[in-house]
Amino acid sequence: MKMTSRELVRAALDFAEYDEVPTERDDVTWPDIAFGTGLRGGEAADLAKADGMDGKRFRVDEWGSGWVALEDGVCGEVKYPALADWGRLDGYRPPYSMLAGIDASRADAGCAATDKFVVPLWGGAYNLFERMQHLRGTESLFYDLAYGDARAYRLRDMVHEFYMTQAQIIVATDVDGVHLTDDWGAQGSLLISPEMWRSFFKPCYREYCELAHRHGKYVIMHSDGYIAEILDDLAEIGVNAINAQIFCMDIEGLAARYHHRLAFWGEMDRQWALPHGTEGDCREAVRRVAGAFFRYGRTGLVGQVFWGKDIPGGNIDACYDEWKRV
């Protein structure tokens, strides 16, 4: 009997054999948990107007930080961090009103109506490190971490508490998994030392994983860049699948070390093959990943392709078609 989409994804994450590689576009969906548009006025909006920014490309998120995008089709960057001044920390409170508006029954209804693997990929994700950057500004946060500023610990705990509250709502629904998303890698190394990552951030990720597993949920984590130095840690704390830029790392080495320890949820080479290569190059990239991991058993992979605005549609289609072929 042909496996359902949900069964295929679970087989990949449980390292059970399957006859067809599940793919995110065809076999994965997520509930429509809407947190609002995040548009509001305030001091940051006034600053943006003073700088001559186009109002259509400026927004203030639910946490109070101002974003500016200089072109359409991208989220932009935080230019006005809500906590750029530490003096605001004492009076600051995360946007818990966002969570009060979630109708979890919609997620349950969506799960019941599909045989697909359901996970809130972005709207319900936990991005502790990135949220701290959005609130403090990236450069300031790196200084805070380097100097061991006690206020950085207060900020971490405040954001983490919010995400644990959000997680409690999500794991109480019928979704199949939860999603962590923090970009930890540069091109060839972590953005901070592995030791600092383990002491400062790993305990929080462990709590997300433990909560998810207590409720029978899988954990999928996304991170851009070179993150080989913390993959053992992610496997240890209970991350089931990693969505990472594996073409920045040693794909064959990853397969040899992590087959049946971490499932790999994509992705293809979006630095070269997807934006600049041919459809044949994209197919070869899929075959390389499949060949590396399937040496150790036909499982542990979910096909996924990044849908960037400058990536030709034919290259995306070629990747998904090749995932079906392998």
Side-chain angles (χ1 to χ4, degrees), residues 10-326:
R10 289 188 173 190
L13 305 191
D14 290 335
F15 305 109
E17 294 279 322
Y18 49 43
D19 294 328
E20 179 182 347
V21 179
T23 56
E24 181 176 307
R25 184 174 66 172
D26 295 333
D27 300 310
V28 182
T29 186
W30 50 90
D32 180 18
I33 299 178
F35 291 153
T37 62
L39 299 175
R40 70 185 192 196
E43 178 184 357
D46 294 336
L47 288 171
K49 185 180 296 185
D51 286 349
M53 295 296 180
D54 182 349
K56 293 182 179 179
R57 294 176 178 170
F58 177 80
R59 65 185 176 91
V60 179
D61 65 27
E62 295 89 342
W63 295 71
S65 295
W67 294 66
V68 174
L70 298 182
E71 60 178 307
D72 294 329
V74 297
C75 65
E77 298 179 354
V78 172
K79 296 297 186 182
Y80 307 103
L83 295 176
D85 179 357
W86 270 133
R88 298 178 178 177
L89 180 62
D90 287 340
Y92 184 83
R93 180 170 171 77
Y96 282 96
S97 59
M98 290 168 51
L99 305 182
I102 295 177
D103 181 2
S105 66
R106 295 169 62 196
D108 291 340
C111 293
T114 183
D115 66 355
K116 299 183 185 295
F117 188 91
V118 180
V119 55
L121 281 179
W122 302 107
Y126 323 138
N127 57 332
L128 175 65
F129 178 48
E130 291 181 353
R131 183 59 62 190
M132 292 178 68
Q133 293 179 69
H134 299 164
L135 289 169
R136 276 289 289 154
T138 298
E139 183 176 0
S140 294
L141 180 63
F142 280 124
Y143 275 112
D144 298 336
L145 294 173
Y147 286 107
D149 194 315
R151 292 168 295 191
Y153 286 84
R154 288 178 56 194
L155 179 61
R156 177 200 64 182
D157 293 346
M158 179 173 60
V159 176
H160 176 57
E161 181 180 352
F162 175 90
Y163 282 134
M164 285 296 289
T165 303
Q166 174 180 289
Q168 292 280 359
I169 297 171
I170 292 175
V171 299
T173 70
D174 294 334
V175 299
D176 296 287
V178 300
H179 191 217
L180 312 179
T181 171
D182 269 319
D183 289 343
W184 274 112
Q187 186 66 26
S189 67
L190 286 186
L191 294 173
I192 63 176
S193 72
E195 294 75 21
M196 179 178 288
W197 184 90
R198 292 180 184 117
S199 65
F200 193 91
F201 290 98
K202 182 179 177 180
C204 298
Y205 290 132
R206 185 189 299 276
E207 289 191 27
Y208 301 141
C209 292
E210 289 175 347
L211 174 64
H213 290 312
R214 284 199 300 271
H215 289 79
K217 311 300 182 185
Y218 295 91
V219 179
I220 298 94
M221 182 168 180
H222 163 80
S223 178
D224 282 346
Y226 183 95
I227 59 169
E229 295 157 304
I230 60 172
L231 288 179
D232 282 333
D233 299 277
L234 297 178
E236 173 203 325
I237 63 177
V239 171
N240 297 103
I242 185 75
N243 170 253
Q245 289 183 277
I246 56 178
F247 282 79
C248 291
M249 296 175 268
D250 175 8
I251 295 174
E252 289 72 23
L254 295 178
R257 185 175 182 88
Y258 295 106
H259 67 88
H260 293 76
R261 291 182 61 204
L262 270 175
F264 282 78
W265 194 296
E267 63 178 75
M268 289 299 97
D269 178 7
R270 55 185 163 99
Q271 292 185 319
W272 182 80
L274 282 172
H276 306 298
T278 65
E279 293 181 14
D281 294 325
C282 293
R283 291 181 182 276
E284 176 57 32
V286 171
R287 290 194 294 270
R288 180 185 174 189
V289 175
F293 283 89
F294 286 171
R295 288 183 59 191
Y296 307 97
R298 190 177 177 81
T299 188
L301 289 178
V302 175
Q304 186 263 6
V305 180
F306 177 75
W307 291 50
K309 74 183 188 71
D310 296 323
I311 293 175
N315 283 359
I316 293 173
D317 289 339
C319 286
Y320 280 115
D321 182 66
E322 197 63 29
W323 277 120
K324 296 299 183 184
R325 293 172 182 270
V326 300

